[in-house]
Amino acid sequence: MVRLRIKAISLFTAFAFVVLPLAPAFAASPAPVEAEHGMVVTAQHLATDVGVEILKGGGNAVDAAVAVGYALAVVYPTAGNIGGGGFMTIRLKDGKTTFLDFRERAPLAATKTMYLDAKGDIVPRASLDGYLAVGVPGSVMGFETARERYGTKPRAELLAPAIRFAKDGFTLEQGDAATFASSAKRLAKDEAAAKIFLKPDGKPYSAGEKLVQPELAAVLSGISEKGADAFYKAAPAEAIVKASQAKGGVLAKEDFEQYSVRELKPVECNYRGYDIVSSPPPSSGGVIICEILNVLEGYPLSYMGYGSSETVRAMVEAMRHAYVDRNAALGDPDFVDNPVSRLLDKGYAKEIREKIDPYKAGKSDNLKPLGAKESVETTHYSIVDDEGNAVAVTYTLNGSFGAGVVAPGTGILLNNEMDDFTSKPGVPNLYGLVQGEANAIAPKKTPLSSMSPTIISRDGKPFMVIGSPGGSRIITITLEAILNVIDFGMDISQAVNAPRIHHQWQPDKIYLEPYTLSPDTIKTLAAMGYSFDDGSGPPQWGQAAGILVGGKSLADIEKGGGARYYGAMDSRATEGSASGY
């Protein structure tokens, strides 16, 4: 087995080598991991190892994705889950593509105004903390649907590693312990959560200590024996409903019994000859990535240069126009008529380019939403197997440790995904997104997401698997990794580790990670009228997980490459890893 883990690399150091716009050295980026038969990239090294062992044992990429998903629910509880939901993009070896939506749904008792007070104002944190914030979980049904339709291995084999980690425990490393420490005060507010994730004295676990989760092991064992019904129509669902009803939530037995997974056609587009498949509504991710790429296709980015003022200007303006469409026009396809064809049209991209002033910054307030009128603690993993099947999965509890609650007796952390709905049009959510009526709350509706599990092919063969957590920034993180490989010639490790920019229409400012742009570039953009974040946001964001097929970079592929697969886990994920065999 080939594995590389990046432990506690200073992002200050990592970024210090990637600030120059022309042919940056990327000296701090680790070499991509090489493998011939399969590659797994996740945010937690134990889960990565589980995926590789499934591949080595004859499982396909979907089998590995299911096993990894269950394993992350145990070893990466800040985002891995069976109490949340997500998306899976699949490209099979014969070129067929599909998409599974196992996102959380609004409870049957949900209402459009459930987070507003008598005056019509949003109740602070009502959509973030406690049982009223919880959507109906979809991960278990999603994994079981994927396994039954596209997997090859028996359920018990895929759940066995997760059950073992939960029953016997696993030793925390520095990055694991840091996540518990950062959320200790919040977890302490829920007795059942504190019992699991904090020590008896109320302090968080430290590196070197073991976390054991017997209640979660029991739930996973039930799923292993009886499938999804052991979650949705048995004791776990009953316990969650009981706790919800006792503590101000609205979940009911029928919410679990009626949950189903949607299999949808992925969003498809082409960028400079590369075929991209990604997430369709109820995700905005694939649509908006493609809309931005369509706009940028009209600019010679490789000539303009990585990090140059002209490149940044083009990216920001494309993002600005795309996010106004994202925030106003998209929603659950069962409830909203999404203008996907319009947004993906190359002619529409040309119209946007014609509106962009080459000499001064655009103004978000001047843009009208088309058609009238997500957590930083998500996690993404990418997998390719020996036969060329590729899977990209992004799933989440929304915020770190979700709603911060565990139904007694289950060991299951529950999501706070209801915050992804529009609680009140025009008012920002957790990620600062200002959204409209298309994403208003309704029973059984799925909130709009930015999750963007993406697979790219060229000449009918898989080329790249990519995605990231990051809330509203998932789209731009995934986008920039694609641009870094295709336009700027980076290898897959450099592409996922490079510092990032972000713009989301409102607020009208450019967000930068440290050392993204040179002082001269920032000065040039400021003179054009652009404003920058004041540093109030997170200093770094996202944890991209990428795989490149046929070479470590585009130039390497065109020369004939070396190994078959190259994987890289973002150094921002201190306990993540890329591993293959």
Side-chain angles (χ1 to χ4, degrees):
M1 181 188 297
V2 181
R3 187 175 92 191
L4 179 65
R5 272 207 300 141
I6 308 306
K7 302 252 314 172
I9 283 185
S10 165
L11 288 175
F12 181 98
T13 302
F15 293 150
F17 291 91
V18 292
V19 299
L20 298 178
L22 299 176
F26 294 97
S29 293
V33 174
E34 303 179 14
E36 290 295 331
H37 301 289
M39 181 67 68
V40 180
V41 187
T42 88
Q44 218 288 344
H45 60 98
L46 296 174
T48 300
D49 292 346
V50 166
V52 173
E53 289 305 312
I54 294 296
L55 294 181
K56 290 173 70 175
N60 66 14
V62 174
D63 293 318
V66 171
V68 166
Y70 282 123
L72 286 169
V74 181
V75 302
Y76 195 65
T78 184
N81 69 83
I82 59 171
F87 299 134
M88 180 181 295
T89 303
I90 301 171
R91 185 186 192 278
L92 299 175
K93 60 184 178 182
D94 62 2
K96 175 186 176 181
T97 61
T98 191
F99 177 84
L100 297 180
D101 165 23
F102 55 96
R103 182 94 154 125
E104 302 90 330
R105 308 269 194 272
L108 289 165
T111 67
K112 183 177 178 180
T113 59
M114 63 190 290
Y115 300 116
L116 305 183
D117 61 20
K119 296 180 180 179
D121 296 325
I122 291 180
V123 178
R125 299 198 66 84
S127 64
L128 291 170
D129 298 329
Y131 284 88
L132 193 63
V134 181
V136 184
S139 292
V140 172
M141 190 73 79
F143 294 144
E144 287 306 288
T145 300
R147 184 191 64 80
E148 291 171 358
R149 295 181 187 176
Y150 301 105
T152 65
K153 289 286 189 178
R155 182 172 55 241
E157 183 176 343
L158 303 184
L159 273 141
I163 294 170
R164 184 176 69 252
F165 286 133
K167 183 179 179 181
D168 299 336
F170 68 100
T171 301
L172 300 176
E173 298 194 26
Q174 191 61 47
D176 304 315
T179 63
F180 291 114
S182 65
S183 296
K185 290 183 179 179
R186 188 158 176 261
L187 292 169
K189 295 177 181 178
D190 183 76
E191 183 178 352
K195 179 182 176 183
I196 300 167
F197 300 111
L198 301 177
K199 292 187 287 189
D201 61 4
K203 294 181 179 179
Y205 286 94
S206 302
E209 295 183 310
K210 183 175 284 190
L211 178 66
V212 181
Q213 301 171 76
E215 293 173 337
L216 182 57
V219 171
L220 293 170
S221 295
I223 297 169
S224 176
E225 294 171 11
K226 299 180 180 179
D229 282 356
F231 179 84
Y232 291 91
K233 299 179 180 179
E238 293 170 1
I240 294 169
V241 169
K242 181 180 178 181
S244 176
Q245 293 177 348
K247 298 183 179 181
V250 296
L251 288 168
K253 179 181 178 183
E254 292 75 18
D255 290 313
F256 288 84
E257 293 176 341
Q258 295 180 24
Y259 186 88
S260 62
V261 171
R262 287 184 288 197
E263 185 161 8
L264 304 169
K265 185 179 185 297
V267 161
E268 300 177 352
C269 64
N270 183 280
Y271 179 69
R272 305 195 196 279
Y274 294 84
D275 296 311
I276 296 167
V277 294
S278 190
S279 49
S283 174
S284 64
V287 176
I288 301 307
I289 285 173
C290 285
E291 181 178 345
I292 296 172
L293 288 173
N294 284 343
V295 175
L296 294 178
E297 196 171 36
Y299 297 95
L301 297 186
S302 60
Y303 174 79
M304 290 157 61
Y306 171 82
S308 72
S309 60
E310 281 301 293
T311 292
V312 174
R313 182 190 64 80
M315 290 171 64
V316 166
E317 294 302 336
M319 291 173 185
R320 184 198 310 277
H321 282 266
Y323 268 85
V324 71
D325 292 340
R326 181 237 183 254
N327 296 353
L330 298 176
D332 186 330
D334 287 350
F335 293 77
V336 175
D337 185 12
N338 290 286
V340 173
S341 296
R342 166 72 165 157
L343 298 183
L344 297 183
D345 185 69
K346 299 277 189 180
Y348 180 59
K350 183 174 181 291
E351 291 176 18
I352 291 175
R353 283 196 300 272
E354 290 172 349
K355 295 176 183 176
I356 296 174
D357 190 316
Y359 303 109
K360 64 181 181 180
K363 297 297 180 185
S364 292
D365 288 342
N366 294 337
L367 295 185
K368 302 295 183 183
L370 181 69
K373 320 219 196 172
E374 172 159 265
S375 114
V376 185
E377 281 73 29
T378 300
T379 190
H380 175 87
Y381 52 98
S382 298
I383 301 174
V384 180
D385 65 25
D386 194 33
E387 294 184 323
N389 300 297
V391 179
V393 178
T394 312
Y395 79 144
T396 185
L397 288 168
N398 195 37
S400 182
F401 294 96
V405 295
V406 172
T410 68
I412 301 170
L413 277 161
L414 296 169
N415 68 84
N416 58 356
E417 207 63 64
M418 294 296 288
D419 185 66
D420 268 9
F421 281 112
T422 305
S423 294
K424 183 178 181 180
V427 177
N429 73 353
L430 175 63
Y431 303 111
L433 285 173
V434 178
Q435 305 180 96
E437 291 288 344
N439 193 37
I441 302 168
K444 297 186 74 171
K445 189 176 182 180
T446 298
L448 186 65
S449 171
S450 296
M451 294 188 293
S452 310
T454 299
I455 301 173
I456 303 172
S457 59
R458 185 173 70 163
D459 300 327
K461 298 178 181 179
F463 170 76
M464 186 178 185
V465 186
I466 188 66
S468 178
S472 61
R473 305 176 192 205
I474 290 173
I475 292 168
T476 51
I477 294 168
T478 306
L479 168 85
E480 287 169 63
I482 295 169
L483 297 177
N484 288 345
V485 169
I486 294 175
D487 287 300
F488 303 125
M490 299 182 196
D491 70 36
I492 187 62
S493 181
Q494 294 165 347
V496 300
N497 280 293
R500 296 157 180 155
I501 69 169
H502 175 75
H503 196 290
Q504 60 182 42
W505 176 49
Q506 296 286 4
D508 191 353
K509 59 182 66 177
I510 300 174
Y511 293 85
L512 301 174
E513 287 188 315
Y515 307 103
T516 304
L517 303 176
S518 70
D520 286 348
T521 299
I522 293 174
K523 183 178 180 180
T524 298
L525 291 166
M528 297 174 73
Y530 290 98
S531 60
F532 296 85
D533 176 47
D534 58 8
S536 59
Q540 297 90 28
W541 57 83
Q543 296 176 351
I547 298 172
L548 210 56
V549 180
K552 64 182 180 181
S553 66
L554 188 55
D556 197 36
I557 293 171
E558 291 174 347
K559 289 190 302 184
R564 187 176 175 199
Y565 297 132
Y566 290 81
M569 185 67 217
D570 198 324
S571 298
R572 298 165 183 82
T574 56
E575 296 304 334
S577 69
S579 182
Y581 78 105

